[in-house]
Amino acid sequence: MKTREESLRLTQLLQLLRRHRRPVAGQVLAEALGISLRTLYRDIETLREQGADLRGEAGIGYQLAPSDTLPPMTLPPAEIDALVLGLRWVAARTEPALAEAARDALARIAHVLPAARREALRDSGLRVGPSRTAVKVPPARLQAVREAVSTQQRLTFGYEDAHGQRSERIVWPFALAYFDEVPMLAAWCESREDFRHFRLDRIRRVRALEDHYLVPRATLLRRWQKAQGIAPDWLDRS
């Protein structure tokens, strides 16, 4: 039986192979995963036994053939453009962990597209330009806040408002907005007993508490939208 670590490593290996259109040397794959060549060769064989169409061999390189385990996606050109542009924006504007996830998602989608659509996705001319107004936020802070939103954990941090006033906050984070200038956190603030918005560049010493807040995130989000007069987006509508 595979351990959780082995299962995760096999998934990462598949993702690495999906990113490349040509064979990748075993040494390159091993170094990217932080494992020995012997372990890599064993993982290659494990994936083959599980049905992955892995082509190549030691000394030549490895390539993952398009998979038949998932039905081919039939995306029209406009939807391909939307996917490419959206995922490239995430890769360019967010912290490394989420950017890497965006690149992996693009590779995964490309892998199950028909050949013609796959080429259209990879050769898309849509690009995300640099931002001249973006404020740098430490990646670790951005990731910690994003993960707290996802896991519905209470957060504690120091905050300095626009007037230079400092305070300590404990909040229930339920939404993170990626504005072009700076990400903003929407949360229920325990000390203010109300919804508040926090610029991530003004947050200090952020730490997720062990306990989760009691009100479901979806409920907080709907209450906040109503209070702010914000219409639900397409994902929030039933």
Side-chain angles (χ1 to χ4, degrees):
M1 179 179 292
K2 296 191 298 296
T3 65
R4 183 176 182 277
E5 180 181 351
E6 289 170 328
S7 297
L8 178 60
R9 191 176 68 241
L10 292 174
T11 300
Q12 291 173 332
L13 176 55
L14 281 173
Q15 284 299 95
L16 281 172
L17 289 164
R18 285 189 182 107
R19 295 177 197 164
H20 297 275
R21 303 170 65 178
R22 296 179 176 81
V24 188
Q27 187 63 45
V28 173
L29 294 170
E31 289 177 359
L33 294 168
I35 59 177
S36 67
L37 268 176
R38 176 178 293 183
T39 300
L40 175 76
Y41 295 149
R42 186 171 63 244
D43 287 350
I44 291 287
E45 291 309 311
T46 299
L47 289 174
R48 282 173 169 163
E49 290 170 2
Q50 293 177 354
D53 190 358
L54 269 169
R55 302 172 184 177
E57 58 187 81
I60 296 176
Y62 298 93
Q63 184 177 18
L64 182 63
S67 174
D68 293 326
T69 58
L70 292 175
M73 292 184 181
T74 54
L75 299 177
E79 291 183 9
I80 289 177
D81 284 346
L83 279 170
V84 171
L85 187 60
L87 289 170
R88 282 179 173 164
W89 190 95
V90 173
R93 293 283 197 276
T94 59
E95 83 277 11
L98 196 57
E100 185 76 2
R103 288 188 286 269
D104 283 344
L106 197 57
R108 189 189 298 269
I109 291 167
H111 207 69
V112 295
L113 285 173
R117 289 287 186 259
R118 191 181 311 129
E119 293 303 314
L121 184 146
R122 285 171 169 161
D123 298 337
S124 172
L126 299 180
R127 293 292 187 273
V128 177
S131 173
R132 297 181 179 179
T133 60
V135 176
K136 291 292 185 182
V137 175
R141 183 188 309 167
L142 186 52
Q143 183 172 346
V145 172
R146 178 176 59 81
E147 289 178 349
V149 170
S150 178
T151 58
Q152 303 184 67
Q153 284 180 276
R154 295 164 70 228
L155 274 181
T156 179
F157 53 76
Y159 192 72
E160 182 175 328
D161 65 19
H163 305 291
Q165 297 295 317
R166 297 182 179 182
S167 58
E168 297 295 322
R169 306 293 184 103
I170 296 178
V171 304
W172 303 357
F174 60 84
L176 181 59
Y178 287 82
F179 290 96
D180 197 48
E181 180 185 0
V182 63
M184 296 279 291
L185 172 66
W188 175 266
C189 181
E190 292 188 2
S191 60
R192 302 299 189 268
E193 297 186 337
D194 201 356
F195 294 114
R196 289 291 186 268
H197 305 104
F198 304 95
R199 288 175 53 127
L200 261 66
D201 59 326
R202 295 176 179 166
I203 287 177
R204 300 290 185 272
R205 305 181 308 281
V206 62
R207 180 171 60 89
L209 300 177
E210 292 184 0
D211 55 329
H212 301 264
Y213 50 83
L214 300 179
V215 180
R217 183 179 63 239
T219 301
L220 287 175
L221 183 61
R222 286 193 294 269
R223 291 176 181 172
W224 170 75
Q225 288 172 328
K226 183 177 180 180
Q228 298 292 318
I230 299 173
D233 66 26
W234 63 275
L235 279 174
D236 297 322
R237 296 170 187 154
S238 57

